[in-house]
């Protein structure tokens, strides 16, 4: 496979993904791709996203590129490993042929399948989706900054407790806990996710 053919493949990739594709090197190909699920036409329907790194060596495409995640939202360690593992396996299957577009499409397809909240509410430790059919599902919400999901009642209760604690500390003159669960700015419109500490806006709640 000639360098010119690989360069044409990289150009095709840029044409398909536009600004979501950042080419770091054309040959051997090295790129970052920001992917979102196809089922997330509006933000309320999106629960996952990721930035995938595809890095090939000098023997590409005879040797498949290495697939890693730079960052992700809404994916725990298990789902991150599953996503990269599936795409890496696809790369091995396509060895000796140009594969960048197919690998990117595979990543988007797999992320689309994963586009749902997973696991338990981090605050009450009960499932976001009840496992028993007869159980009543509790409303849940996500923080836009990190896509961590919580039962609505749980996150609102936590938010109200947080500000009640801050008010009590302020009245008593105790500022040792003022930053717990809040951003470094003392702004009641901002908080930190109780899971990952990313700053979120009160409007999320």
């Amino acid at each position: 496979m000639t360098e010119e053919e690989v360069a044409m493949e990289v150009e095709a990739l840029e044409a398909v993904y536009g600004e979501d594709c950042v080419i770091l090197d054309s040959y051997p190909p090295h790129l970052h791709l920001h992917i979102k699920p196809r089922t997330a036409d509006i933000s309320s329907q999106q629960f996952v996203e990721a930035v995938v790194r595809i890095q090939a060596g000098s023997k590409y495409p005879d040797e498949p590129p290495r697939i890693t995640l730079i960052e992700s939202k809404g994916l725990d360690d298990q789902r991150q490993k599953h996503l990269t593992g599936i795409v890496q396996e696809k790369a091995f299957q396509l060895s000796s042929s140009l594969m960048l577009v197919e690998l990117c499409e595979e990543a988007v397809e797999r992320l689309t399948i994963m586009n749902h909240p997973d696991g338990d509410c981090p605050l009450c430790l009960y499932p976001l989706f009840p496992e028993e059919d007869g159980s009543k599902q509790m409303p849940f919400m996500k923080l836009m900054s990190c896509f961590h999901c919580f039962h609505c009642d749980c996150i609102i209760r936590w938010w109200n407790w947080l500000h009640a604690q801050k008010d009590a500390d302020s009245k008593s003159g105790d500022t040792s806990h003022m930053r717990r669960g809040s951003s470094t700015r003392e702004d009641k419109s901002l908080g930190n996710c109780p899971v990952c500490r990313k700053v979120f806006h009160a409007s999320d709640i």
Side-chain angles (χ1 to χ4, degrees), residues 17 20 31 43 55 61 85 98 100 117 139 142 149 177-178 194 196 204:
Y17 290 100
D20 288 330
L31 61 98
S43 61
Q55 186 170 11
L98 296 176
L100 295 181
K142 69 175 180 181
C149 293
H177 303 299
M178 289 294 283
C196 68
D204 284 4

Side-chain angles (χ1 to χ4, degrees), residues 78-134:
Q78 183 177 354
R79 295 208 290 176
Q80 289 178 27
K81 290 176 182 176
H82 181 68
L83 176 61
T84 54
I86 289 289
V87 181
Q88 190 69 70
E89 182 180 343
K90 184 78 170 181
F92 281 111
Q93 292 172 1
L94 297 172
S95 290
S96 301
S97 60
L98 296 176
M99 65 181 80
L100 295 181
V101 174
E102 287 191 62
L103 293 182
C104 293
E105 286 297 295
E106 182 73 16
V108 172
E109 186 63 33
R110 293 295 167 175
L111 193 71
T112 299
I113 294 171
M114 297 178 182
N115 189 33
H116 57 82
D118 191 54
D120 301 333
C121 170
L123 294 174
C124 71
L125 304 182
Y126 280 93
L128 290 167
F129 288 94
E131 297 173 0
E132 299 178 8
D133 294 338

Side-chain angles (χ1 to χ4, degrees), residues 181-198:
S182 63
S183 69
T184 52
R185 289 176 57 195
E186 288 305 324
D187 186 342
K188 286 194 174 184
S189 68
L190 299 176
N192 292 93
C193 170
V195 176
C196 68
R197 314 303 297 164
K198 280 191 177 180

Side-chain angles (χ1 to χ4, degrees), residues 148-162:
H148 280 119
C149 293
F150 308 84
H151 291 131
C152 292
D153 286 349
C154 296
I155 192 69
I156 290 171
R157 215 169 20 240
W158 171 82
W159 181 253
N160 290 337
W161 169 86
L162 180 69

